[in-house]
Amino acid sequence: MAEISRGERRKGLVNGFAAYGMWGLVPLFWPLLKPAGALEILAHRMVWSLVFVAVALAFVRRWAWAGELLRQPRRLALVTVAAAVITVNWGVYIWAVNSGHVVEASLGYFINPLVTIAMGVLLLKERLRPAQWTAVGVGFAAVVVLTVGYGQPPWISLVLAFSFATYGLVKKKVNLGGVESLAAETAIQFLPALGYLLWLAGHGESSFVNDGAGHAALLASTGIVTALPLVCFGAAAIRVPLSTLGLLQYLAPVFQFLLGILYFHEAMPAERWAGFALVWLALALLTWDALRTARRSARALAAAAAARPVAVAAETPRSQV
């Protein structure tokens, strides 16, 4: 990151704000697609996302990755798993927003970092620092409080958090770029989604066919709504430090939470405020610990870099003997 100019970093920040801003404001978009149901919207999102990214990749002529992926069955299987879990994530999120559960959906993305850490411990045998253990414990207490408040576990939040954490874990192993990964995943989703849309049309239940050109255009725009934030995120990821992206990620659930309360007027009784407060406390602990660790690492690297010339100078006479 040191060699990236100030102008490039500014461009990266703008793209980062744009990506997370669009993800945060997307609850305003899904209700516009009614009377289409969540499954029809999901199917259109899969189909039109593939169309959009295929056009983008054809424009930049970036197809070499596809041939390599097809020759690697293990990576292809992982892409299939990623496609399956992101299908669950997208479907539940669209249903939650259009059913009046925007606040609970935002909670899923607030607790996602905690779930990711917990999965790292359980699946990858990672070791946590004390602050991280504390944050996970506070997050678990928040889920208990919210379960009491809702009268049941906050299943929407938990499904969104666990599906997205699983998606992130699988994507790390696949190691594909954002647009390429979306292209591969939607290629797997395409035929089932298209089959479902054709079935709806054959039974006279397709809102794409029945509700006019404007509605059809909105459904087709789900491809742009899905892919454009990813393009901006990709532009940000190569220009700003990972720690900055880690802080920016909280913009999306904050916007979703505010929309749920201020725009959709969802109820927030005291016990839900208490649960959210515990989640925010856990995230504050994680952020503080991450920033402290990053500063320590930076100081250690600087000290090592400063000591290296001294060590070389001390060894030079011996090497000339």
Side-chain angles (χ1 to χ4, degrees), residues 64-130:
W65 61 272
E68 294 175 6
L69 181 62
L70 290 172
R71 291 191 295 270
Q72 298 174 308
R74 183 176 178 276
R75 287 182 80 199
L76 195 56
L78 288 172
V79 170
T80 303
V81 172
V85 293
I86 202 61
T87 296
V88 172
N89 184 272
W90 286 356
V92 170
Y93 186 80
I94 292 167
W95 177 86
V97 170
N98 284 0
S99 301
H101 299 284
V102 176
V103 170
E104 193 175 348
S106 75
L107 176 65
Y109 293 103
F110 276 125
I111 66 176
N112 176 67
L114 300 171
V115 172
T116 300
I117 288 173
M119 288 178 68
V121 172
L122 295 174
L123 300 179
L124 304 179
K125 309 302 180 186
E126 293 179 355
R127 298 181 63 182
L128 298 188
R129 296 183 292 274

Side-chain angles (χ1 to χ4, degrees), residues 299-310:
R299 283 198 295 266
L301 286 173
R308 195 174 299 122
V310 175

Side-chain angles (χ1 to χ4, degrees), residues 86-289:
I86 202 61
T87 296
V88 172
N89 184 272
W90 286 356
V92 170
Y93 186 80
I94 292 167
W95 177 86
V97 170
N98 284 0
S99 301
H101 299 284
V102 176
V103 170
E104 193 175 348
S106 75
L107 176 65
Y109 293 103
F110 276 125
I111 66 176
N112 176 67
L114 300 171
V115 172
T116 300
I117 288 173
M119 288 178 68
V121 172
L122 295 174
L123 300 179
L124 304 179
K125 309 302 180 186
E126 293 179 355
R127 298 181 63 182
L128 298 188
R129 296 183 292 274
Q132 292 175 312
W133 275 116
T134 304
V136 171
V138 172
F140 180 78
V143 172
V144 172
V145 170
L146 289 164
T147 297
V148 173
Y150 282 106
Q152 61 181 7
W155 70 268
I156 294 173
S157 308
L158 294 174
V159 169
L160 290 174
F162 275 91
S163 60
F164 200 70
T166 304
Y167 179 66
L169 181 66
V170 174
K171 281 193 57 133
K172 277 189 177 183
K173 293 182 177 294
V174 173
N175 193 26
L176 269 180
V179 176
E180 292 87 348
S181 180
L182 180 63
E185 291 151 17
T186 51
I188 291 169
Q189 297 166 332
F190 181 80
L191 286 179
L194 183 62
Y196 176 69
L197 293 176
L198 292 175
W199 181 86
L200 284 179
H203 286 74
E205 299 176 12
S206 170
S207 68
F208 184 83
V209 174
N210 299 334
D211 288 86
H215 180 70
L218 279 173
L219 284 170
S221 69
T222 54
I224 299 174
V225 169
T226 300
L228 190 56
L230 270 178
V231 173
C232 292
F233 177 80
I238 61 174
R239 291 179 172 89
V240 298
L242 192 60
S243 58
T244 304
L245 281 180
L247 294 175
L248 287 177
Q249 73 173 326
Y250 297 127
L251 283 177
V254 165
F255 285 167
Q256 293 165 14
F257 177 77
L258 293 175
L259 283 173
I261 293 176
L262 302 176
Y263 183 80
F264 293 102
H265 305 293
E266 294 184 14
M268 277 293 290
E271 59 270 20
R272 289 188 194 171
W273 279 112
F276 270 83
L278 286 172
V279 170
W280 294 332
L281 173 61
L283 294 178
L285 282 170
L286 279 185
T287 303
W288 169 77
D289 181 67

Side-chain angles (χ1 to χ4, degrees), residues 295-305:
R295 282 196 297 268
R296 285 180 175 175
S297 298
R299 283 198 295 266
L301 286 173

